[in-house]
Amino acid sequence: MSVPAESAVPTLRAKDYKSDVSPVWCPGCGHFAVLSAVTKALAYLKLNKEDVALISGIGCSSRLPAYVDGYGFHGVHGRALAVASGLKAARPDLTVIVAGGDGDGFSIGGNHFLHACRRNMDMAYIVMDNEVYGMTKGQASPTTQPDWAKSKLTPHGTGIRRFQPPAIALAAGASFIARGFAGDPNGLTKLLVEAIQHPGFAFLHVLSPCQTFRPEQKDWKHLVHPCRIEPTDNPAQAAQLIQADDGMGLGLLYAQRLPVWQPVNHATATPADLEAEFLV
């Protein structure tokens, strides 16, 4: 994504990108670190507030646009990528960042996730994964372990294999895949900067602990580690890397320059021109 010329951009600090709305996340929630990473990344890239749009769906993580001082849209459940795609098609000059959670993005929004990956529009998608539906009081999500039995709706566990976000993103055609951790704010900010700068659909999978419904996730700080294999632009090698990983490897997993989908510009088209496109 393009960065404005130095002379045209005022000097803004990370705190200047924060709104006056105070976050209502639970104390210790990993999403605080994601908010910090977003504001730090915007400041690092020296982006004008009016040149950035933050789009979200529904869930704890999707409150993010309210906490950023800029343009944002809090949409309906699972439809953040659809809204963001429409916005990017209409305003390709904007830096579009999409935020959501594992339930919003991989359950009701799963189909949009697949096609956003393969369409490869120029946007960054942050998914804050805490392996639970936090806002609706702790139900199992698509990334919950099959034997997790602390939800009243699944007292014996789900018995279902968990969704594998990076593997699905790769298979669907995403051109940038990375994993960050809320407990590593500097590393997370760096990955987000790279995701925003990447020309194409950039998927940033963030391990973001839920202290309320998944307190055992406090141990993630002892389990995460740098990816043991160097990132690659070869999808076959990336598939091996992702499948061999334990789900706790941090860093860039895959990045490749692929054709970025650009909509046809109809700004100067006449009604007759548009009608002609529908002729058989």
Side-chain angles (χ1 to χ4, degrees):
M1 297 181 182
S2 60
V3 178
E6 184 79 22
S7 59
V9 182
T11 301
L12 296 175
R13 293 169 294 180
K15 68 177 184 179
D16 297 320
Y17 291 95
K18 292 185 178 180
S19 74
D20 296 330
V21 181
S22 297
V24 295
W25 294 315
C26 300
C29 177
H31 300 351
F32 284 101
V34 179
L35 171 60
S36 177
V38 169
T39 58
K40 287 179 180 178
L42 296 179
Y44 177 83
L45 293 170
K46 296 182 171 61
L47 295 173
N48 282 322
K49 295 179 183 180
E50 59 268 27
D51 294 328
V52 179
L54 187 58
I55 312 299
S56 71
I58 294 294
C60 296
S61 55
S62 292
R63 298 180 185 273
L64 198 67
Y67 307 144
V68 176
D69 185 15
Y71 290 116
F73 188 90
H74 191 177
V76 296
H77 202 193
R79 305 300 188 260
L81 286 170
V83 173
S85 297
L87 175 61
K88 189 65 181 181
R91 288 289 306 275
D93 57 303
L94 292 179
T95 295
V96 176
I97 303 172
V98 191
D102 44 300
D104 181 69
F106 306 140
S107 183
I108 191 170
N111 192 52
H112 292 295
F113 177 57
L114 296 178
H115 297 291
C117 289
R118 74 183 188 90
R119 193 175 291 117
N120 199 39
M121 295 183 78
D122 191 17
M123 64 178 72
Y125 185 32
I126 309 167
V127 175
M128 288 156 263
D129 189 355
N130 51 24
E131 302 177 357
V132 73
Y133 281 94
M135 194 176 74
T136 50
K137 310 309 181 205
Q139 299 93 334
S141 84
T143 55
T144 301
Q145 308 96 303
D147 58 349
W148 185 69
K150 294 185 180 180
S151 169
K152 292 181 179 179
L153 292 182
T154 54
H156 305 291
T158 66
I160 302 172
R161 295 181 64 189
R162 54 203 299 192
F163 194 89
Q164 302 291 338
I168 298 297
L170 180 67
S175 56
F176 177 104
I177 304 169
R179 185 186 291 116
F181 174 48
D184 177 21
N186 291 333
L188 182 58
T189 301
K190 179 178 181 294
L191 289 174
L192 181 55
V193 168
E194 293 176 2
I196 294 173
Q197 291 179 320
H198 176 77
F201 185 79
F203 171 54
L204 178 54
H205 183 219
V206 181
L207 302 176
S208 183
C210 176
Q211 302 283 8
T212 300
F213 296 107
R214 301 297 305 268
E216 69 275 14
Q217 292 175 349
K218 294 178 182 178
D219 291 338
W220 279 0
K221 62 184 178 182
H222 304 299
L223 300 175
V224 295
H225 54 82
C227 283
R228 299 186 176 95
I229 306 176
E230 290 297 315
T232 178
D233 61 359
N234 184 308
Q237 292 178 357
Q240 291 181 321
L241 182 160
I242 292 170
Q243 293 296 340
D245 185 71
D246 60 0
M248 290 289 166
L250 307 181
L252 178 62
L253 304 173
Y254 170 76
Q256 184 180 177
R257 292 294 184 98
L258 297 173
V260 176
W261 187 83
Q262 298 282 0
V264 177
N265 185 2
H266 291 296
T268 60
T270 66
D273 294 330
L274 298 177
E275 290 176 1
E277 293 186 6
F278 290 93
L279 295 177
V280 178

